[in-house]
């Protein structure tokens, strides 16, 4: 812990020397770039390391400024390294994110001689994005759409690594930086920590700015509430050409010691897992996507991503209108299509058929899973105490099978789950990703269950 604190203090001094500041007046000779408005703190139940308010902060106030010269971009890493520039010129087909990944690993390869050494040293050593999930963890998601997304992320990572391997060979990177694991680290760093800049689609790494933890955008705000009183900004962070800096603004009022949060955008929990490696226990933007019968898609022009059940269990507008039209006799569809597409009920009989179809669809999805919602809750309790687990709790066969599958996939042995487990750091990372998978599937099933309850209420009381 003392070493980590020393590394952090060295990093904050380095950042101050580059002009990064939480004050409108930067002091390059300061021992820290923080302390006037923000401070580094730890929030065990809300993202881990983050930034806290060092004083009361008003909504819309500038709270952090990171000069362009302090941003880690492909341009700055390439312009300072002729060997890297020459190697990349021979591989023009690499994407902007592949280029930044190669440049990042090349910078790590330099060790202490890198201009960005202090920044690189305090980056996480591992991430938990979907691309890092093993086969067991992928299967633990249980839902086909999520499994497909995870497998696609893994395949994409491997393909991009293989495409970038020749240029990394030319750079003579250390063997450990040539591995797929190292590539996953670099690409995950870029996926989870970069911020938008207008001149590079890969984005930029923003020292100190990437300390902010995530808060979902608040829905239902009026345009006046979204706009800051003194500016026309609609976001709480962005690159400002006028001051040649990445500027961060408070999205609301904060009291001293409150965690100051940043909204990266609107994401479902699966998207958060895919791009950032975490999820939210309460995510107002979460969704359970529903597949329709083949003939349903031809009835309306709604995109598939609009066919979902929202976090509170309510079917989306597009889902309701499509099923309402489908539940109408073919001979009447043309005459009532405008009613369905406007969001209105067609008839009591039609609405009952719609609720029954949606409830049956949700129940079919729940029944296809190997564990129930209650079993997932119990599994999460077991995972939290996994290293000390001795098989004392009574578990269903499905949960016992899942635990054994985890042990086998991680080559952990114990006699009948009756001895205390001793697991490696690698296995502990797998335990955490397993927990993320169970948390995700539990949240997804809860949405389906809430939707069944909603449909049941509508059937029992059609006038609601």
């Amino acid at each position: 812990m003392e070493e980590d604190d020393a590394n952090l203090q060295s990093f904050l001094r380095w950042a101050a020397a580059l002009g990064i500041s939480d004050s409108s007046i930067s002091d390059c000779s300061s021992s820290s770039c923080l302390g006037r408005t923000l401070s580094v703190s730890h929030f065990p139940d809300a993202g881990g390391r983050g930034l806290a308010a060092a004083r009361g902060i008003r909504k819309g106030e500038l709270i952090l400024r990171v000069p362009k010269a302090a941003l880690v971009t492909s341009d700055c890493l390439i312009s300072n390294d002729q060997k890297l520039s020459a190697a990349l010129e021979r591989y023009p087909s690499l994407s902007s994110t592949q280029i930044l990944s190669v440049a990042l690993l090349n910078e790590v390869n330099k060790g202490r001689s890198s201009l960005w050494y202090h920044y690189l040293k305090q980056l996480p050593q591992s991430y938990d994005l979907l691309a890092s999930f093993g086969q067991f963890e992928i299967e633990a998601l249980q839902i086909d759409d999520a499994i497909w997304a995870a497998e696609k992320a893994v395949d994409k990572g491997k393909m991009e690594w293989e495409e970038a391997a020749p240029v990394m060979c030319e750079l003579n990177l250390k063997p450990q930086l040539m591995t797929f694991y190292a590539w996953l680290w670099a690409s995950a760093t870029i996926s989870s920590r970069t911020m938008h800049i207008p001149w590079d689609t890969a984005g930029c790494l923003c020292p100190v700015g990437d300390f902010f933890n995530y808060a979902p955008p608040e829905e239902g705000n009026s345009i006046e509430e979204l706009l800051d009183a003194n500016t026309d900004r609609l976001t709480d962070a962005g690159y400002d050409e006028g001051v040649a800096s990445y500027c961060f603004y408070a999205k609301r009022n904060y009291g001293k010691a409150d965690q100051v949060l940043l909204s990266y955008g609107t994401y479902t929990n699966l998207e958060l897992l895919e791009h950032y490696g975490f999820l939210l226990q309460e995510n107002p933007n979460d969704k359970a996507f529903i597949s329709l019968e083949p003939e349903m898609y031809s009835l309306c022009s709604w995109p598939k991503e609009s066919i979902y059940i929202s976090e509170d269990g309510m079917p989306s507008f597009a889902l309701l209108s499509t099923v309402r039209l489908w539940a109408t006799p073919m001979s009447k569809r043309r005459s009532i299509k405008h009613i369905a597409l406007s969001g209105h009920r067609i008839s009591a009989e039609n609405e009952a058929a719609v609720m029954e179809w949606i409830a049956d669809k949700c129940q079919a999805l729940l029944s296809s899973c190997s564990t129930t919602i209650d079993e997932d809750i119990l599994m999460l309790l077991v995972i939290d105490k996994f290293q000390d687990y001795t098989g004392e709790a009574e578990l269903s066969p499905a949960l016992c099978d899942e635990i054994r599958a985890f042990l086998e996939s991680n080559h952990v042995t114990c006699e009948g789950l009756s001895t205390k487990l001793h697991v490696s750091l690698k296995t502990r990372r797998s335990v955490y990703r397993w927990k993320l998978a169970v948390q995700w599937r539990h949240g997804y099933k809860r949405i389906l269950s809430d939707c069944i309850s909603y449909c049941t209420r509508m059937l029992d009381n059609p006038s609601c």
Side-chain angles (χ1 to χ4, degrees):
M1 290 297 292
E2 290 183 3
E3 182 181 355
D4 290 343
D5 186 61
N7 288 337
L8 176 62
Q9 297 310 314
S10 295
F11 166 68
L12 295 178
R13 283 195 298 274
W14 170 86
L18 288 178
I20 299 174
S21 178
D22 64 347
S23 170
S24 57
I25 302 175
S26 62
D27 182 0
C28 295
S29 63
S30 175
S31 61
S32 176
C33 62
L34 302 177
R36 303 165 188 82
T37 304
L38 302 169
S39 63
V40 178
S41 189
H42 192 70
F43 303 91
D45 300 321
R49 183 179 70 177
L51 293 175
R55 57 173 176 79
I57 298 174
R58 298 186 307 276
K59 179 181 178 181
E61 186 177 347
L62 176 65
I63 53 177
L64 183 69
R65 184 166 53 83
V66 182
K68 184 177 182 179
L71 302 177
V72 183
T73 65
S74 296
D75 286 347
C76 78
L77 296 180
I78 295 171
S79 63
N80 291 322
D81 192 315
Q82 291 184 344
K83 184 177 181 182
L84 174 62
S85 177
L88 288 171
E89 285 181 0
R90 288 189 284 276
Y91 298 90
S93 62
L94 294 181
S95 69
S96 60
T97 53
Q98 284 175 301
I99 290 171
L100 185 52
S101 295
V102 169
L104 183 61
L105 289 170
N106 182 63
E107 209 62 29
V108 173
N109 193 62
K110 298 176 183 178
R112 289 182 176 272
S113 65
S114 169
L115 296 173
W116 307 98
Y117 172 75
H118 290 288
Y119 174 63
L120 298 173
K121 190 171 183 181
Q122 57 78 46
L123 287 173
Q125 295 184 356
S126 63
Y127 298 89
D128 299 297
L129 281 67
L130 284 184
S132 69
F133 276 37
Q135 190 58 41
F136 166 81
E137 296 138 19
I138 291 175
E139 291 176 359
L141 292 164
Q142 293 187 357
I143 304 298
D144 287 345
D145 285 351
I147 291 173
W148 178 82
E151 290 176 341
K152 182 181 177 183
V154 173
D155 290 344
K156 181 173 182 286
K158 288 180 178 177
M159 180 187 69
E160 292 182 341
W161 169 58
E162 291 169 353
E163 291 173 347
V167 69
M168 292 193 289
C169 285
E170 285 197 27
L171 294 170
N172 295 318
L173 300 186
K174 296 181 179 71
Q176 60 267 35
L177 296 178
M178 292 284 295
T179 64
F180 180 53
Y181 178 82
W183 181 262
L184 281 180
W185 174 84
S187 60
T189 297
I190 292 165
S191 177
S192 63
R193 306 182 81 84
T194 51
M195 299 183 182
H196 171 75
I197 48 176
W199 64 89
D200 191 340
T201 56
C204 69
L205 291 167
C206 186
V208 184
D210 56 10
F211 279 7
F212 287 103
N213 284 322
Y214 172 78
E218 297 178 4
E219 293 187 347
N221 288 346
S222 67
I223 194 69
E224 291 79 8
E225 291 173 316
L226 289 169
L227 288 167
D228 181 77
N230 301 314
T231 73
D232 59 355
R233 286 180 289 101
L234 281 169
T235 59
D236 44 3
Y239 185 76
D240 188 338
E241 292 280 3
V243 293
S245 298
Y246 221 99
C247 297
F248 297 80
Y249 301 87
K251 62 183 296 181
R252 63 174 179 83
N253 295 330
Y254 291 98
K256 185 176 181 180
D258 288 349
Q259 180 170 197
V260 182
L261 299 166
L262 179 68
S263 175
Y264 316 152
T266 300
Y267 297 97
T268 65
N269 270 344
L270 186 61
E271 290 169 334
L272 287 174
L273 264 184
E274 180 177 0
H275 300 294
Y276 298 100
F278 68 88
L279 48 73
L280 301 176
Q281 294 304 309
E282 299 294 333
N283 183 357
N285 303 303
D286 206 11
K287 300 178 177 71
F289 290 95
I290 297 295
S291 61
L292 303 178
E293 305 299 335
E295 66 269 21
M296 288 182 170
Y297 290 108
S298 62
L299 296 178
C300 299
S301 57
W302 303 114
K304 287 187 178 181
E305 57 269 23
S306 67
I307 308 294
Y308 63 84
I309 299 165
S310 60
E311 188 268 345
D312 59 2
M314 292 285 290
S316 69
F317 183 98
L319 175 58
L320 283 173
S321 63
T322 301
V323 182
R324 282 169 178 159
L325 188 57
W326 172 79
T328 300
M330 292 185 64
S331 60
K332 297 181 180 179
R333 286 176 183 171
R334 178 175 295 182
S335 62
I336 59 87
K337 185 173 184 178
H338 67 286
I339 299 175
L341 295 182
S342 66
H344 295 297
R345 297 183 184 187
I346 294 171
S347 69
E349 181 182 5
N350 177 275
E351 197 68 9
V354 169
M355 293 298 122
E356 287 177 1
W357 186 91
I358 294 176
D360 288 346
K361 189 73 174 180
C362 291
Q363 187 57 58
L365 283 169
L366 288 173
S367 298
S368 70
C369 297
S370 57
T371 58
T372 66
I373 292 176
D374 289 341
E375 286 176 326
D376 288 342
I377 293 172
L378 180 55
M379 180 60 83
L380 289 171
L381 293 175
V382 171
I383 291 174
D384 281 338
K385 299 180 180 179
F386 190 75
Q387 192 165 349
D388 298 321
Y389 180 65
T390 59
E392 295 169 354
E394 281 195 26
L395 301 178
S396 67
L399 295 189
C400 288
D401 289 346
E402 186 168 353
I403 291 173
R404 290 192 180 92
F406 171 82
L407 297 175
E408 291 174 4
S409 69
N410 286 275
H411 309 291
V412 177
T413 60
C414 63
E415 298 178 2
L417 295 178
S418 60
T419 58
K420 184 174 179 178
L421 301 173
H422 297 281
V423 298
S424 65
L425 176 61
K426 180 180 179 181
T427 302
R428 286 199 294 271
R429 294 306 310 174
S430 181
V431 170
Y432 183 69
R433 290 192 290 269
W434 179 19
K435 180 178 180 179
L436 286 172
V438 178
Q439 286 177 327
W440 180 83
R441 79 194 193 203
H442 172 260
Y444 188 96
K445 294 173 190 177
R446 182 183 53 78
I447 292 175
L448 296 178
S449 178
D450 288 347
C451 185
I452 292 173
S453 297
Y454 167 78
C455 292
T456 302
R457 288 197 305 274
M458 295 298 102
L459 288 168
D460 292 341
N461 189 2
S463 61
C464 286

